[in-house]
C-alpha cells in the first residue's frame, strides 16, 4: 500500500526563496499548459496530450532562463497535474457528476511541487534533505522512512515547509482479537462506549474562538490587496490551524 511520511523542513533564506521561485515557475507552466488545451479545443476542436506539452519544456527553457533553475522532472510534474485535472474532469462528465472545469492557479494557490522519481536524496541521519536546484535543506526526521520511496512532494503551509514522501510499504496485519465495543458519538460527550467509558469533547474551536475573532477583526480593518492584510490573513490561518 502507499503510505505518506511527512516531515518539517527548516530552509534558510536562500533556500526558501528558491522554493517560492519553484512554485511560481511551476504555476506558470501549469497555467500555460491549461491555456493551450483550452484554446486548442475552443478554436480548433483539437486535443492536446501530455507528451506534446512535455516536449515543449526544452524550448520553454530557451525562451526563459528562469526555468533552468527548476529540476526537469518538477516541471514535468506540473504538466502532469494539468493532464490529471482534465482526466478527472472527463471522468466526472462521463459519470454524470458535477464536472468542474480545471481552473488557473495563481502562485499563491500553487503551494507544492513534486519530484516524481529523482532529484532528491533523503539523509537518514535526520538532519538534511538534498533537493536538486535548491540545496541541502535541514529536515527533522522524527521517525524513520519505511518502504520504497516513490515520490517526494515539497508542500508550503501556513506554518512552514514540509517534505512528504510517498512510499510503497507492506501492510502489517494486526493480531486477531475477540474483544468488541460499541461507540456512540454525541454532543455533550464526544463518545460513550458500551463499557461505560466517557470521552469529553475537545473543543479546539471554542477554546481558540476569542483569538480567532481578534484576528478576523484585524483582517477586516486592512485594505484588500495590501501587505498588512496578507500578513493578517496568514496570522488568522495560523490561529485556525
Amino acid at each position: 500500500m502507499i503510505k505518506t511520511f511527512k516531515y518539517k523542513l527548516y530552509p534558510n533564506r536562500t533556500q526558501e526563496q528558491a522554493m517560492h521561485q519553484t512554485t511560481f515557475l511551476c504555476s506558470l507552466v501549469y497555467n500555460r499548459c491549461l491555456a493551450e488545451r483550452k484554446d486548442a479545443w475552443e478554436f480548433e476542436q483539437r486535443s492536446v496530450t501530455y507528451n506534446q506539452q512535455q516536449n515543449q519544456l526544452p524550448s520553454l527553457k530557451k525562451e526563459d532562463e528562469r526555468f533552468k533553475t527548476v529540476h526537469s522532472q518538477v516541471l514535468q510534474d506540473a504538466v502532469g497535474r494539468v493532464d490529471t485535472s482534465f482526466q478527472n474532469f472527463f471522468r466526472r462528465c462521463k459519470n454524470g457528476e458535477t464536472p468542474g472545469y480545471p481552473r488557473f492557479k495563481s502562485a499563491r494557490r500553487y503551494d507544492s511541487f513534486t519530484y516524481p522519481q529523482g532529484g532528491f536524496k533523503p539523509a537518514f541521519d535526520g538532519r538534511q534533505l538534498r533537493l536538486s536546484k535548491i540545496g541541502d535543506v535541514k529536515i527533522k526526521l522524527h521517525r524513520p522512512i519505511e518502504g520504497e520511496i516513490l515520490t517526494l512532494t515539497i508542500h508550503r503551509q501556513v506554518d512552514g515547509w514540509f517534505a512528504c514522501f510517498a512510499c510503497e510499504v507492506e501492510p502489517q496485519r494486526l493480531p486477531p482479537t475477540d474483544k468488541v465495543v460499541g461507540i456512540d458519538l454525541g454532543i455533550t460527550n464526544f463518545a460513550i462506549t458500551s463499557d461505560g467509558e466517557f470521552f469529553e469533547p475537545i473543543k479546539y474551536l471554542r477554546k481558540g474562538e476569542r483569538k480567532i475573532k481578534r484576528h478576523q477583526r484585524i483582517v477586516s480593518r486592512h485594505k484588500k490587496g495590501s501587505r498588512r492584510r496578507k500578513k493578517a490573513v496568514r496570522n488568522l490561518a495560523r490561529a485556525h490551524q
Side-chain angles (χ1 to χ4, degrees), residues 81-135:
R81 293 187 184 189
V82 178
D83 188 64
T84 302
S85 298
F86 274 95
Q87 289 179 8
N88 294 334
F89 169 74
F90 292 127
R91 174 182 53 79
R92 288 190 291 266
C93 290
K94 184 178 180 180
N95 295 336
E97 305 173 7
T98 303
Y101 194 82
R103 296 171 55 189
F104 292 99
K105 293 186 178 181
S106 64
R108 181 179 59 85
R109 291 184 62 240
Y110 202 103
D111 55 7
S112 68
F113 56 93
T114 300
Y115 293 89
Q117 296 174 337
F120 63 92
K121 185 178 181 181
F124 292 95
D125 58 357
R127 294 183 179 181
Q128 289 184 333
L129 171 65
R130 178 162 295 177
L131 300 176
S132 178
K133 305 290 186 178
I134 295 176

Side-chain angles (χ1 to χ4, degrees), residues 3 18 34 38 47 51 56 58 83-84 88 114 133 156 185 199 206 210 223 228:
K3 190 175 181 180
L34 178 56
K38 184 174 180 292
S47 297
N51 290 331
Q56 296 175 5
D83 188 64
T84 302
N88 294 334
T114 300
K133 305 290 186 178
R156 178 179 59 207
L185 301 180
F199 293 88
R206 290 288 177 259
R210 180 179 297 179
K223 184 179 178 181
R228 289 187 176 182

Side-chain angles (χ1 to χ4, degrees), residues 66-91:
R66 294 178 300 174
F67 290 101
K68 293 183 179 180
T69 62
V70 182
H71 192 267
S72 59
Q73 291 188 1
V74 173
L75 295 178
Q76 291 172 10
D77 177 74
V79 179
R81 293 187 184 189
V82 178
D83 188 64
T84 302
S85 298
F86 274 95
Q87 289 179 8
N88 294 334
F89 169 74
F90 292 127
R91 174 182 53 79

Side-chain angles (χ1 to χ4, degrees), residues 124-240:
F124 292 95
D125 58 357
R127 294 183 179 181
Q128 289 184 333
L129 171 65
R130 178 162 295 177
L131 300 176
S132 178
K133 305 290 186 178
I134 295 176
D136 294 339
V137 183
K138 185 178 179 181
I139 184 174
K140 180 63 176 179
L141 283 172
H142 58 275
R143 59 171 175 165
I145 302 176
E146 302 174 7
E148 180 185 357
I149 300 175
L150 301 179
T151 63
L152 168 62
T153 299
I154 306 300
H155 192 245
R156 178 179 59 207
Q157 297 182 350
V158 293
D159 56 342
W161 293 86
F162 292 84
C164 301
F165 295 90
C167 303
E168 187 175 9
V169 298
E170 290 292 333
Q172 297 181 356
R173 295 186 177 276
L174 298 175
T177 176
D178 56 352
K179 295 182 179 180
V180 179
V181 67
I183 302 175
D184 180 32
L185 301 180
I187 298 177
T188 305
N189 294 287
F190 173 71
I192 305 173
T193 68
S194 57
D195 298 335
E197 189 174 2
F198 290 80
F199 293 88
E200 295 295 327
I202 306 175
K203 300 180 180 180
Y204 291 111
L205 181 61
R206 290 288 177 259
K207 290 180 180 179
E209 207 167 40
R210 180 179 297 179
K211 184 178 181 181
I212 290 173
K213 286 182 178 179
R214 185 174 72 251
H215 282 292
Q216 287 174 334
R217 289 195 296 268
I218 295 174
V219 171
S220 63
R221 292 194 196 108
H222 294 305
K223 184 179 178 181
K224 290 185 178 181
S226 65
R227 290 186 177 181
R228 289 187 176 182
R229 184 182 176 90
K230 292 179 181 178
K231 183 178 180 180
V233 169
R234 287 196 299 268
N235 292 335
L236 176 60
R238 291 192 184 100
H240 268 290

Side-chain angles (χ1 to χ4, degrees), residues 21-37:
Q21 178 77 348
T22 300
T23 56
F24 170 70
L25 294 174
C26 286
S27 68
L28 294 183
V29 172
Y30 182 94
N31 293 332
R32 175 171 175 160
C33 293
L34 178 56
E36 182 184 12
R37 291 195 179 208

